[in-house]
Amino acid sequence: MRKRTLLSLMALAPVVSACGFRLRGAPSFPFKTLYVQAPEGSPFTREVLRNLATAGGNLTVVLPPAKPDTAEATLQLLGERRQRIILAKTVSGQVREVELRLFARFRLVDQQGRVWLEDTELQQKREMSYSESLALAKDEEEAMLYRNMYSDLAQQLLRRLSAVHAPVDE
C-alpha cells in the first residue's frame, strides 16, 4: 500500500512542478538599506516593521533617530484609516451586518529624492455579522479582523517593495 502511494506521488511530481507553482520564498529588494519614516505607535507601522525584520535576505532597516540619508531608500508610511460601514439592519433598526475597511498610504523615495513608488493606497475589506446580544464577542472579532487586515496590508507592501525598480533618469 505504501509503495503504491509513493510510486503514484513520484509519478505526479513532474506534473506539479510543470504547472508553474512555486513557493513565494524570501523577497529580494533592489536596495540594501531602507529607512522607515512612519508614525510611532501605529499598528500598521508595527506590522510593517515586523514583516521587514522577518523578511530575510540582505535588507537592513534603519529607524529614527538615524538620518534618512543613511539609507539607500526611504519608505514613508503616510497614514492609515479605518472605516466601519453598516451594510444591513433588521426591521427594528438594529445593525445586522457591517463592513470593515482599512486603508494605508505609502511612498518610496531614494537619497536623491527621486520617487520610486508614487503615493500608493492599499486597502482591505472584511464583512462580519453583528448582534447586539453578542456585542463583546463581536468587538473581539472586529479587533481580530483588523489585525488580520494589517498583516495582509504589510505583506502586500513588502511584495510591492520587492517588485519596484529604480527610477530612470531623464
Side-chain angles (χ1 to χ4, degrees), residues 96-110:
R96 200 78 201 127
E97 190 173 345
V98 295
E99 181 178 76
L100 306 173
R101 295 180 183 176
L102 180 62
F103 302 90
R105 288 183 41 238
F106 68 95
R107 72 184 199 153
L108 184 69
V109 296
D110 64 9

Side-chain angles (χ1 to χ4, degrees), residues 16 25 40 50 53 99 124 128 131 137 141 143 147 149 154 156:
V16 172
E40 284 187 41
R50 187 182 71 74
E99 181 178 76
Q124 286 283 310
M128 67 177 246
S131 173
E141 181 183 358
R147 282 192 303 269
M149 288 191 287
Q156 283 183 36

Side-chain angles (χ1 to χ4, degrees), residues 65 112 155:
Q112 292 79 30
Q155 291 171 14

Side-chain angles (χ1 to χ4, degrees), residues 9 15 18 25 27 70 73 75 82 118 121-122 126 142 150 166 170:
L9 286 175
V15 174
T70 59
L75 173 64
R82 294 179 174 193
E118 295 287 335
E121 184 173 80
L122 301 174
R126 301 284 192 277
E142 183 176 332
Y150 279 120
E170 295 179 4

Side-chain angles (χ1 to χ4, degrees), residues 65-94:
K67 301 260 188 253
D69 58 357
T70 59
E72 291 178 48
T74 300
L75 173 64
Q76 298 172 340
L77 299 178
L78 303 173
E80 64 189 71
R81 65 187 160 92
R82 294 179 174 193
Q83 281 184 339
R84 186 174 195 258
I85 298 170
I86 298 171
L87 295 178
K89 290 185 177 185
T90 62
V91 176
S92 60
Q94 292 182 333

